[in-house]
Amino acid sequence: MDNPSEMKIMVRLNWDVIGAHFIERMPVNLSQTLTDVGEQAVIREITTAAPSSLNGDDAAVLFAAPPNSRTVASTDLMVDGRHFLREWSTPREIGQKAILRNFADIEAMGARPVAALLAIAAPGDTPVSFVRSVAEGIAERCSFYNAELVGGDITNSDVLVINITAIGFLGGSRAALTLDAARAGQKLVAHGSIGYAAAGLSLLQRFGRNLPAEYADLHPLIDAQCAPWLSPGRGVIARAAEVTAMTDNSDGLIQDCGSMAQRSGVHIDLNADAIQPDPLLHAAAAVLDCDPWQWVLAGGEDHTLIGTTAKKAPSGFREIGTVSRGSGVTVGGARPRYAEGWAGF
């Protein structure tokens, strides 16, 4: 950073100390812009929306991890126009999506999310209300995990960028659920929907956020794109149930399973009946005149947890395939109809 003050972590302040005098902060008009109110006022709005007793100094000091635990960290950013559009998503949904993307990565390691850091680079004419609502969305999602927003940074930028750093604890001595631990003879299991977020994106591209009334039943697909959901704690449950490898479906089912197969030196065969598009996906495909299998196989952004185990599927998971010797990914023993996925560049 050019300005050392920008390295400060978010501080929850209600007062300024000037000499021996305290000056009360004036309430912020949320319709004002970031430039209008200044950095400290914006920080105060964020920490008011997502308060934490750990927030308030140059760095957040977390409580010690439980005995025989390890710390897990992940970071993921979202860029306006690439990962979200403000005409499609509310600020609160953008915050919810930002935190879920990162907490899913923590869960995919078999760990429990405990804290998050938020960094925002935004144009100066961004309304304060937008940033506050993003923080509210983050706080709402964090509450499901008993996690807190403990710090971060904000600065001026020509493009809106939101970055989350997630921190979690991996309890006990059992190995983390890494990509290289799938073994021949195991089953492939999944928790969460597959194809919903991609279908929601297709609907948004056709209709925008306001679906015609006759397609109101398709709103869950749009919700899956704008504010995806993952049941908290499933990664920990999977690890306790002896799942060995895990990832989340962020880049596309074939692509993510392919990464696991390549890293583990195995072949993964997806059961076509287990992953076939459900009635909601078929309904959306009929409206858009497209193949719903493309959403399932190549869509991504569902953040579904995908793991391998020699045991039965853990609670909340379902069996969707098998692992054997070899390489690559097939669907019902055949080459996937769609194999592309998300690419950062």
Side-chain angles (χ1 to χ4, degrees), residues 3-39:
N3 182 356
S5 69
E6 291 181 351
M7 295 300 294
K8 291 284 188 179
I9 207 151
M10 296 177 185
V11 184
R12 189 181 185 189
L13 293 175
N14 295 317
W15 305 84
D16 265 345
V17 181
I18 302 179
H21 303 284
F22 290 90
I23 299 177
E24 187 175 2
R25 292 283 196 175
M26 297 299 293
V28 171
N29 182 340
L30 295 182
S31 65
Q32 292 179 288
T33 68
L34 305 187
T35 298
D36 290 336
V37 303
E39 178 183 4

Side-chain angles (χ1 to χ4, degrees), residues 38-244:
E39 178 183 4
Q40 290 303 315
V42 177
I43 289 172
R44 189 170 69 253
E45 290 304 314
I46 293 172
T47 54
T48 300
S52 171
S53 61
L54 303 178
N55 198 345
D57 218 303
D58 290 317
V61 179
L62 301 181
F63 294 108
N68 198 27
S69 293
R70 287 153 285 172
T71 300
V72 180
S74 179
T75 190
D76 204 335
L77 57 79
M78 302 201 317
V79 179
D80 188 15
R82 181 159 179 79
H83 301 96
F84 64 90
L85 290 177
R86 280 181 273 183
E87 58 262 39
W88 290 350
S89 300
T90 67
R92 183 181 289 266
E93 288 173 334
I94 293 169
Q96 292 170 341
K97 184 173 185 176
I99 203 72
L100 190 281
R101 287 161 59 97
N102 285 270
F103 279 6
D105 286 335
I106 300 294
E107 291 260 14
M109 299 300 291
R112 177 175 65 87
V114 296
L117 301 168
L118 166 67
I120 298 179
D125 61 0
T126 303
V128 176
S129 60
F130 176 89
V131 174
R132 166 125 188 181
S133 293
V134 168
E136 289 172 345
I138 290 171
E140 181 181 335
R141 279 289 191 264
C142 281
S143 68
F144 289 106
Y145 292 86
N146 197 29
E148 295 181 354
L149 182 65
V150 299
D153 188 26
I154 185 165
T155 191
N156 191 19
S157 171
D158 293 335
V159 179
L160 174 63
V161 180
I162 298 172
N163 186 72
I164 296 287
T165 297
I167 301 166
F169 290 153
L170 188 71
S173 59
R174 194 185 299 274
L177 306 184
T178 53
L179 286 168
D180 60 359
R183 298 291 180 262
Q186 292 183 324
K187 306 167 186 174
L188 191 73
V189 297
H191 167 73
S193 60
I194 301 175
Y196 272 39
L201 177 59
S202 296
L203 288 166
L204 288 166
Q205 290 170 334
R206 174 71 65 85
F207 299 111
R209 192 59 191 262
N210 297 317
L211 283 177
E214 62 267 34
Y215 305 140
D217 290 348
L218 302 180
H219 271 293
L221 301 177
I222 288 181
D223 293 340
Q225 168 59 222
C226 294
W229 170 256
L230 182 67
S231 297
R234 291 297 161 185
V236 174
I237 289 172
R239 184 164 168 262
E242 299 187 44
V243 166
T244 60

Side-chain angles (χ1 to χ4, degrees), residues 20 56-57 101 108 110 167 206 256 266 270 282 310 340:
D57 218 303
R101 287 161 59 97
I167 301 166
R206 174 71 65 85
D256 289 321
V266 297
L270 294 160
H282 276 293
E340 72 275 12

